[in-house]
Amino acid sequence: MAQDIARQAPTAPATPARTLLPLILPALAVGVAASLILVGVSAGAEELQDVLWEDLPDALGVGRYSVLWMLVVLTSTGVLVGLVVWKVPGHAGPDPATTGLNAPVLPPAVLPGLLLATALMLAGGPSLGPENPVIAVNVGLAFWAGRRLVPRAPGELWVALAEAATIGALFGTPVAAALVISEALVGRPVRGALWDNVFAPLTAAAAGALTADLLAHPSFDLHLPAFGRPGWSDLPAALVVACVAALLAMGAVRAFPYVHGAFARLRHPMLALPAGGLVLGLLGALGGHLTLFKGLDEVAELARDPEGWSAGQFATMTVVKLAALLVAASCGFRGGRIFPSVFVGTALGLCAHALVPAVQPALGVACGVLGVLLAITRQGWVSLFTAAVLADTPAIVALLCIASLPAWLLVTGRPQMQLRDDGTPVT
């Protein structure tokens, strides 16, 4: 039967090797440069984070994560980012609530302010990751340089190379970028075979991932207890956890335009961002310091001791982190939603394990992350990939694929956590 389908499917014309070969060098250059920008911004933000959350409170004799210090630092972060958005040329780019992984091409004058706002956000503690703004910066730089150095190349090439390179560097593997590209190509009129279309972006993603691996050693493996062989009881557990996670995240998605509208009514970044920082400080005081920042290091801390918190504590961190993601994405902080979503799903999965010990930690975490990411990002392949690499066991992949089906039915066709310029949700 498969052979009959293959015979009936139209054969895409092959792209000659001489057409693909000239793309390798530009792809490698964009891949390395994009990765260096990501690693540089992340390293600079980490140094500033150490100053804000360790050196300063120690020098002042204040608890590093005391309620007072969290309120001071997060509100001050809102003030500083607000100043950048208000005064720096380009205003640090468009409203981040209107952007996703597919970044618009921004003028070069906008990019320094966007990088500065991103670094301040990462260091100060709001619950957002670096992916969206860094992709936008890399796309803008690659487009600007590419159009000048290779003017005959189509502008879309530089956008695709920069996006793929940054995603590869973020995950430390080009596989994630290949999945995103393949999903983005669905429904688009493309010429040639799929592999011809992903050849150059995959080259950029591989260069970006290898550069990040050599310099920063990114890893998503949480070293959770081994999953082992799947049992019949694991299937209903996977379905329930993934669906509950998707429904919980959809609650935040539904609230997104209303929370964004509330901050928008303040009508000035020097009001909206400090107000958002203050709310985030209050949420941090409620959920504890693990609910601050982008969440990747904090996820690793949770996974080191799945038995170290009660179900109530895991539930509190889940809800607080999701609320912090909602507020940070609504009030104007520049950042992405993937990494804090991973924290939300991890905390929810460990909460399921604490409530029902028969739910293995690896299964709970993977299915929790899967459901949350499906609702927040609507990127099916990336959600599956991220959930699978967190558990780092092939035996869980089949369960994740099955669990993704009802979770996808719960989120597809419904509003996304992204707004149009007029404030209405994207569907």
Side-chain angles (χ1 to χ4, degrees), residues 305-317 347 350-351 354-355:
D305 187 10
E307 316 294 337
W309 289 268
S310 67
Q313 289 173 312
F314 281 127
T316 299
M317 287 189 280
L350 293 176
C351 177
L355 286 171

PDB file of all heavy atoms in Angstrom, residues 305-317 347 350-351 354-355:
ATOM      1  N   ASP A 305      15.549  16.377  42.812  1.00  0.00           N
ATOM      2  CA  ASP A 305      14.916  15.758  43.981  1.00  0.00           C
ATOM      3  C   ASP A 305      13.404  15.753  43.786  1.00  0.00           C
ATOM      4  O   ASP A 305      12.692  16.574  44.364  1.00  0.00           O
ATOM      5  CB  ASP A 305      15.295  16.532  45.246  1.00  0.00           C
ATOM      6  CG  ASP A 305      14.821  15.839  46.521  1.00  0.00           C
ATOM      7  OD1 ASP A 305      14.376  14.669  46.423  1.00  0.00           O
ATOM      8  OD2 ASP A 305      14.880  16.453  47.599  1.00  0.00           O
ATOM      9  N   PRO A 306      12.876  14.830  42.964  1.00  0.00           N
ATOM     10  CA  PRO A 306      11.431  14.808  42.708  1.00  0.00           C
ATOM     11  C   PRO A 306      10.591  14.590  43.964  1.00  0.00           C
ATOM     12  O   PRO A 306       9.399  14.909  43.969  1.00  0.00           O
ATOM     13  CB  PRO A 306      11.255  13.639  41.729  1.00  0.00           C
ATOM     14  CG  PRO A 306      12.604  13.429  41.118  1.00  0.00           C
ATOM     15  CD  PRO A 306      13.581  13.802  42.192  1.00  0.00           C
ATOM     16  N   GLU A 307      11.204  14.036  45.007  1.00  0.00           N
ATOM     17  CA  GLU A 307      10.474  13.784  46.250  1.00  0.00           C
ATOM     18  C   GLU A 307      10.657  14.920  47.263  1.00  0.00           C
ATOM     19  O   GLU A 307      10.158  14.838  48.378  1.00  0.00           O
ATOM     20  CB  GLU A 307      10.960  12.471  46.890  1.00  0.00           C
ATOM     21  CG  GLU A 307      11.130  11.307  45.925  1.00  0.00           C
ATOM     22  CD  GLU A 307       9.809  10.849  45.321  1.00  0.00           C
ATOM     23  OE1 GLU A 307       8.759  11.101  45.939  1.00  0.00           O
ATOM     24  OE2 GLU A 307       9.843  10.255  44.233  1.00  0.00           O
ATOM     25  N   GLY A 308      11.360  15.975  46.873  1.00  0.00           N
ATOM     26  CA  GLY A 308      11.743  17.001  47.841  1.00  0.00           C
ATOM     27  C   GLY A 308      10.663  18.020  48.160  1.00  0.00           C
ATOM     28  O   GLY A 308      10.841  18.842  49.057  1.00  0.00           O
ATOM     29  N   TRP A 309       9.551  18.010  47.418  1.00  0.00           N
ATOM     30  CA  TRP A 309       8.464  18.950  47.671  1.00  0.00           C
ATOM     31  C   TRP A 309       7.146  18.178  47.723  1.00  0.00           C
ATOM     32  O   TRP A 309       7.006  17.106  47.125  1.00  0.00           O
ATOM     33  CB  TRP A 309       8.390  20.009  46.566  1.00  0.00           C
ATOM     34  CG  TRP A 309       9.514  20.990  46.584  1.00  0.00           C
ATOM     35  CD1 TRP A 309       9.546  22.191  47.228  1.00  0.00           C
ATOM     36  CD2 TRP A 309      10.767  20.884  45.908  1.00  0.00           C
ATOM     37  NE1 TRP A 309      10.743  22.828  47.008  1.00  0.00           N
ATOM     38  CE2 TRP A 309      11.514  22.038  46.188  1.00  0.00           C
ATOM     39  CE3 TRP A 309      11.349  19.904  45.099  1.00  0.00           C
ATOM     40  CZ2 TRP A 309      12.792  22.259  45.701  1.00  0.00           C
ATOM     41  CZ3 TRP A 309      12.620  20.111  44.602  1.00  0.00           C
ATOM     42  CH2 TRP A 309      13.327  21.285  44.900  1.00  0.00           C
ATOM     43  N   SER A 310       6.194  18.735  48.401  1.00  0.00           N
ATOM     44  CA  SER A 310       4.876  18.113  48.472  1.00  0.00           C
ATOM     45  C   SER A 310       4.079  18.435  47.214  1.00  0.00           C
ATOM     46  O   SER A 310       4.442  19.319  46.428  1.00  0.00           O
ATOM     47  CB  SER A 310       4.124  18.618  49.708  1.00  0.00           C
ATOM     48  OG  SER A 310       3.823  20.008  49.570  1.00  0.00           O
ATOM     49  N   ALA A 311       2.955  17.719  47.059  1.00  0.00           N
ATOM     50  CA  ALA A 311       2.082  17.995  45.914  1.00  0.00           C
ATOM     51  C   ALA A 311       1.576  19.428  45.956  1.00  0.00           C
ATOM     52  O   ALA A 311       1.472  20.095  44.918  1.00  0.00           O
ATOM     53  CB  ALA A 311       0.912  17.010  45.914  1.00  0.00           C
ATOM     54  N   GLY A 312       1.271  19.928  47.142  1.00  0.00           N
ATOM     55  CA  GLY A 312       0.804  21.306  47.267  1.00  0.00           C
ATOM     56  C   GLY A 312       1.861  22.310  46.848  1.00  0.00           C
ATOM     57  O   GLY A 312       1.540  23.320  46.198  1.00  0.00           O
ATOM     58  N   GLN A 313       3.124  22.052  47.212  1.00  0.00           N
ATOM     59  CA  GLN A 313       4.200  22.966  46.816  1.00  0.00           C
ATOM     60  C   GLN A 313       4.414  22.940  45.307  1.00  0.00           C
ATOM     61  O   GLN A 313       4.610  23.988  44.678  1.00  0.00           O
ATOM     62  CB  GLN A 313       5.490  22.588  47.549  1.00  0.00           C
ATOM     63  CG  GLN A 313       5.454  22.907  49.038  1.00  0.00           C
ATOM     64  CD  GLN A 313       6.671  22.357  49.768  1.00  0.00           C
ATOM     65  OE1 GLN A 313       7.043  21.189  49.606  1.00  0.00           O
ATOM     66  NE2 GLN A 313       7.307  23.203  50.570  1.00  0.00           N
ATOM     67  N   PHE A 314       4.378  21.742  44.715  1.00  0.00           N
ATOM     68  CA  PHE A 314       4.505  21.658  43.255  1.00  0.00           C
ATOM     69  C   PHE A 314       3.343  22.377  42.574  1.00  0.00           C
ATOM     70  O   PHE A 314       3.524  23.074  41.568  1.00  0.00           O
ATOM     71  CB  PHE A 314       4.545  20.196  42.801  1.00  0.00           C
ATOM     72  CG  PHE A 314       5.876  19.534  42.977  1.00  0.00           C
ATOM     73  CD1 PHE A 314       5.988  18.334  43.665  1.00  0.00           C
ATOM     74  CD2 PHE A 314       7.026  20.095  42.439  1.00  0.00           C
ATOM     75  CE1 PHE A 314       7.212  17.709  43.815  1.00  0.00           C
ATOM     76  CE2 PHE A 314       8.268  19.482  42.589  1.00  0.00           C
ATOM     77  CZ  PHE A 314       8.354  18.280  43.285  1.00  0.00           C
ATOM     78  N   ALA A 315       2.135  22.206  43.104  1.00  0.00           N
ATOM     79  CA  ALA A 315       0.971  22.861  42.509  1.00  0.00           C
ATOM     80  C   ALA A 315       1.099  24.378  42.603  1.00  0.00           C
ATOM     81  O   ALA A 315       0.770  25.104  41.658  1.00  0.00           O
ATOM     82  CB  ALA A 315      -0.302  22.379  43.197  1.00  0.00           C
ATOM     83  N   THR A 316       1.584  24.868  43.750  1.00  0.00           N
ATOM     84  CA  THR A 316       1.766  26.315  43.912  1.00  0.00           C
ATOM     85  C   THR A 316       2.773  26.851  42.915  1.00  0.00           C
ATOM     86  O   THR A 316       2.533  27.887  42.261  1.00  0.00           O
ATOM     87  CB  THR A 316       2.228  26.632  45.347  1.00  0.00           C
ATOM     88  OG1 THR A 316       1.235  26.190  46.266  1.00  0.00           O
ATOM     89  CG2 THR A 316       2.458  28.126  45.522  1.00  0.00           C
ATOM     90  N   MET A 317       3.900  26.154  42.757  1.00  0.00           N
ATOM     91  CA  MET A 317       4.901  26.606  41.790  1.00  0.00           C
ATOM     92  C   MET A 317       4.359  26.568  40.366  1.00  0.00           C
ATOM     93  O   MET A 317       4.666  27.450  39.553  1.00  0.00           O
ATOM     94  CB  MET A 317       6.166  25.756  41.916  1.00  0.00           C
ATOM     95  CG  MET A 317       6.983  26.056  43.163  1.00  0.00           C
ATOM     96  SD  MET A 317       8.603  25.235  43.191  1.00  0.00           S
ATOM     97  CE  MET A 317       8.122  23.589  43.708  1.00  0.00           C
ATOM     98  N   ALA A 347       6.858  21.179  36.815  1.00  0.00           N
ATOM     99  CA  ALA A 347       6.264  21.253  38.151  1.00  0.00           C
ATOM    100  C   ALA A 347       4.926  20.519  38.188  1.00  0.00           C
ATOM    101  O   ALA A 347       4.606  19.826  39.166  1.00  0.00           O
ATOM    102  CB  ALA A 347       6.086  22.712  38.565  1.00  0.00           C
ATOM    103  N   LEU A 350       5.599  16.713  38.195  1.00  0.00           N
ATOM    104  CA  LEU A 350       6.063  16.253  39.509  1.00  0.00           C
ATOM    105  C   LEU A 350       4.950  16.326  40.547  1.00  0.00           C
ATOM    106  O   LEU A 350       4.921  15.535  41.495  1.00  0.00           O
ATOM    107  CB  LEU A 350       7.275  17.075  39.943  1.00  0.00           C
ATOM    108  CG  LEU A 350       8.528  16.862  39.088  1.00  0.00           C
ATOM    109  CD1 LEU A 350       9.655  17.790  39.529  1.00  0.00           C
ATOM    110  CD2 LEU A 350       8.988  15.405  39.142  1.00  0.00           C
ATOM    111  N   CYS A 351       4.022  17.266  40.367  1.00  0.00           N
ATOM    112  CA  CYS A 351       2.841  17.315  41.232  1.00  0.00           C
ATOM    113  C   CYS A 351       1.993  16.052  41.025  1.00  0.00           C
ATOM    114  O   CYS A 351       1.500  15.464  42.000  1.00  0.00           O
ATOM    115  CB  CYS A 351       2.022  18.565  40.930  1.00  0.00           C
ATOM    116  SG  CYS A 351       0.490  18.697  41.867  1.00  0.00           S
ATOM    117  N   ALA A 354       3.660  13.297  42.846  1.00  0.00           N
ATOM    118  CA  ALA A 354       3.480  13.406  44.290  1.00  0.00           C
ATOM    119  C   ALA A 354       2.069  12.989  44.719  1.00  0.00           C
ATOM    120  O   ALA A 354       1.882  12.394  45.781  1.00  0.00           O
ATOM    121  CB  ALA A 354       3.761  14.838  44.738  1.00  0.00           C
ATOM    122  N   LEU A 355       1.076  13.277  43.876  1.00  0.00           N
ATOM    123  CA  LEU A 355      -0.304  12.883  44.189  1.00  0.00           C
ATOM    124  C   LEU A 355      -0.533  11.394  43.971  1.00  0.00           C
ATOM    125  O   LEU A 355      -1.209  10.728  44.772  1.00  0.00           O
ATOM    126  CB  LEU A 355      -1.278  13.677  43.320  1.00  0.00           C
ATOM    127  CG  LEU A 355      -1.487  15.148  43.675  1.00  0.00           C
ATOM    128  CD1 LEU A 355      -2.308  15.839  42.594  1.00  0.00           C
ATOM    129  CD2 LEU A 355      -2.158  15.289  45.037  1.00  0.00           C
TER     130      LEU A 355
END
